[in-house]
Amino acid sequence: MSDLPYRAAVGVMLLNAENKVFVGQRLDNALDAWQMPQGGLDPGESAEEGALRELEEETGIARHLVEIVACASRQLDYDLPEDLQGKLWGGRYRGQRQTWYLCRFLGTDSDVHIDTPEPEFRAWKWAEPGELPAMIVPFKQALYRAVLAEFGEYLAP
């Protein structure tokens, strides 16, 4: 196992009115893999600030259209496969240690704009929570199961 540190990061499980979860298909991955908005924290940034910033940067959804419902009880992490550890983030990290937030989307689908100044997604959709682990790259499946366990009480239809 790598002795590199984890990158401080955040993730957002965004629910619509039907309790479906926002997922985007990454531009930089040829796989048919979908993921929830997530990313690294900026220096001095709180996890909550970072989560709302990442969500807006990746989805175009303005902060006033999002209500934070819950924060995971613990940080969740994942390790990159060894062949990616030297390629991503300048080879400085073994993976990410993330603070996850469950948020309610207060807007409409027309408020989603993935054609951001620095786009990360080529497509997006609303997915059933239980489908999430099968939609993500294999090395993040355990992470997504942990996120579902953290927020399970809020996900009933």
Side-chain angles (χ1 to χ4, degrees):
M1 192 52 67
S2 173
D3 58 356
L4 293 170
Y6 285 104
R7 179 181 184 225
V10 291
V12 176
M13 177 181 270
L14 184 67
L15 297 177
N16 70 6
E18 290 80 42
N19 270 3
K20 291 188 177 181
V21 180
F22 178 96
V23 289
Q25 193 174 35
R26 291 190 59 90
L27 276 170
D28 62 0
N29 195 324
L31 298 174
D32 183 33
W34 298 77
Q35 73 174 42
M36 292 181 279
Q38 57 104 68
L41 287 174
D42 290 340
E45 184 176 47
S46 74
E48 183 176 313
E49 290 169 351
L52 294 172
R53 176 189 50 76
E54 283 289 336
L55 182 64
E56 188 166 7
E57 285 178 2
E58 295 183 8
T59 68
I61 296 172
R63 294 173 190 221
H64 72 277
L65 296 175
V66 177
E67 174 187 25
I68 294 177
V69 176
C71 179
S73 65
R74 61 190 175 94
Q75 291 184 312
L76 304 170
D77 45 58
Y78 70 86
D79 288 349
L80 292 168
E82 287 190 21
D83 63 315
L84 291 179
Q85 284 185 14
K87 296 177 183 170
L88 295 179
W89 310 309
R92 296 181 314 234
Y93 304 103
R94 68 189 287 179
Q96 292 196 82
R97 178 158 289 147
Q98 299 174 322
T99 301
W100 277 86
Y101 289 89
L102 177 69
C103 297
R104 176 71 59 193
F105 180 46
L106 306 175
T108 64
D109 287 1
S110 64
D111 295 312
V112 178
H113 303 285
I114 61 171
D115 57 341
T116 62
E118 295 181 33
E120 294 202 25
F121 298 133
R122 65 175 168 255
W124 71 275
K125 64 182 178 180
W126 297 105
E128 293 293 339
E131 296 172 355
L132 295 174
M135 299 173 75
I136 189 68
V137 292
F139 66 88
K140 288 187 184 177
Q141 288 177 350
L143 169 74
Y144 272 38
R145 285 192 291 276
V147 171
L148 286 168
E150 283 286 325
F151 298 139
E153 67 185 278
Y154 299 98
L155 302 178

